[in-house]
Amino acid sequence: WQSSAGGRCRWYKDGLNTVVHSTRPVPEGEEAHCFFFSYGCVVMWGMEEEAERMLVAVLKREHSQEPLIQDEVDDFGFVYTKSKPSLHRDVVQLSSNEVQEKLAVSFALAQSAKLGVFEVTVEKTIEETRHLPERMAKDGKIRLKRADATRQIGQLFVDRASINLHSDILEYPDFFWEDDEWLHAYTRVSKYLEVERRVEVLNKRLDIIKELFDMLANELHNSHSSMLEWI
């Protein structure tokens, strides 16, 4: 369909997620391409930085829920070559001007950006709760008021659940089951960005959060049981 900015739009199905592709004219005469992923990422090709910032501001203001305070931004250049599509030294090398090739690369770029958001969330959670197991190892117990312990458990649950609910977006895109012509482009870029390795590390850190959650819940239960016995 035709967008309000004068470009064309088309949507692609990726399992439970959707990708909207939009083109828009640019001063140089060629078309700029934008891929909007339903899990909150946008990959833009051939746009000026100011236009990119304006577009992101509109998306955050009118089309997002709980937008990030600090945007997760990955900046890459791109060139057209006669070699196979790849990502080297932060420059995407495209073998054609095909939209499908840009879409395949965009899948990997969007996954990497979303993964970066998850990594920051998990790192922050672990850092903020690091003192709890250290205090338990030192004193044999956690000195937290019941309300504080309950709040900490709730926050740990929210952080872990928010990532688990969106974990499907870090898996192999369902889109390629229907159209694998440019699968090799996605695979090469995903490997360069170490998406698979980073997902493994993220899952291990989520396990740490779960263990901490269980430890706090157990400590809270024991504290409550002791209070009932004392009464």
Side-chain angles (χ1 to χ4, degrees), residues 16-30:
L16 298 177
N17 301 303
T18 302
V19 185
V20 175
H21 168 236
S22 171
T23 61
R24 55 190 62 210
V26 292
E28 289 76 9
E30 295 185 3

Side-chain angles (χ1 to χ4, degrees), residues 36-70:
F36 303 89
F37 292 80
S38 56
Y39 47 80
C41 293
V42 56
V43 180
M44 294 168 280
W45 300 79
M47 291 180 64
E48 296 290 337
E49 289 188 19
E50 182 61 26
E52 291 177 351
R53 285 192 289 268
M54 291 176 61
L55 176 58
V56 170
V58 171
L59 291 173
K60 293 177 69 173
R61 184 176 64 249
E62 300 181 8
H63 303 287
S64 64
Q65 297 178 349
E66 300 181 1
L68 298 175
I69 298 176
Q70 181 67 41

Side-chain angles (χ1 to χ4, degrees), residues 169-182:
I169 68 176
L170 302 179
E171 299 174 353
Y172 181 90
D174 289 347
F175 170 82
F176 293 112
W177 290 108
E178 300 293 333
D179 186 352
D180 64 354
E181 180 181 0
W182 295 104

Side-chain angles (χ1 to χ4, degrees), residues 66-184:
E66 300 181 1
L68 298 175
I69 298 176
Q70 181 67 41
D71 294 337
E72 179 73 20
V73 180
D74 292 333
D75 193 7
F76 302 95
F78 73 95
V79 295
Y80 294 102
T81 69
K82 294 182 179 180
S83 59
K84 294 180 179 180
S86 63
L87 176 55
H88 182 62
R89 294 183 179 179
D90 289 350
V91 176
V92 178
Q93 298 181 7
L94 299 171
S95 62
S96 74
N97 197 27
E98 292 287 334
V99 171
Q100 299 284 58
E101 182 178 8
K102 288 187 176 71
L103 174 59
V105 174
S106 295
F107 269 113
L109 297 178
Q111 284 182 328
S112 179
K114 192 67 175 181
L115 184 54
V117 174
F118 290 157
E119 288 168 337
V120 170
T121 299
V122 169
E123 185 65 31
K124 181 181 178 182
T125 299
I126 292 177
E127 188 62 32
E128 290 179 348
T129 55
R130 187 186 301 276
H131 66 284
L132 296 176
E134 291 176 351
R135 176 59 63 88
M136 191 170 188
K138 181 179 180 180
D139 300 339
K141 58 183 178 180
I142 301 175
R143 298 181 182 277
L144 278 179
K145 294 181 180 179
R146 183 176 180 83
D148 292 337
T150 302
R151 185 167 54 252
Q152 192 72 68
I153 288 174
Q155 188 59 52
L156 287 171
F157 179 82
V158 168
D159 290 343
R160 187 167 181 266
S162 66
I163 295 175
N164 283 336
L165 286 174
H166 297 91
S167 61
D168 63 307
I169 68 176
L170 302 179
E171 299 174 353
Y172 181 90
D174 289 347
F175 170 82
F176 293 112
W177 290 108
E178 300 293 333
D179 186 352
D180 64 354
E181 180 181 0
W182 295 104
L183 173 60
H184 59 288

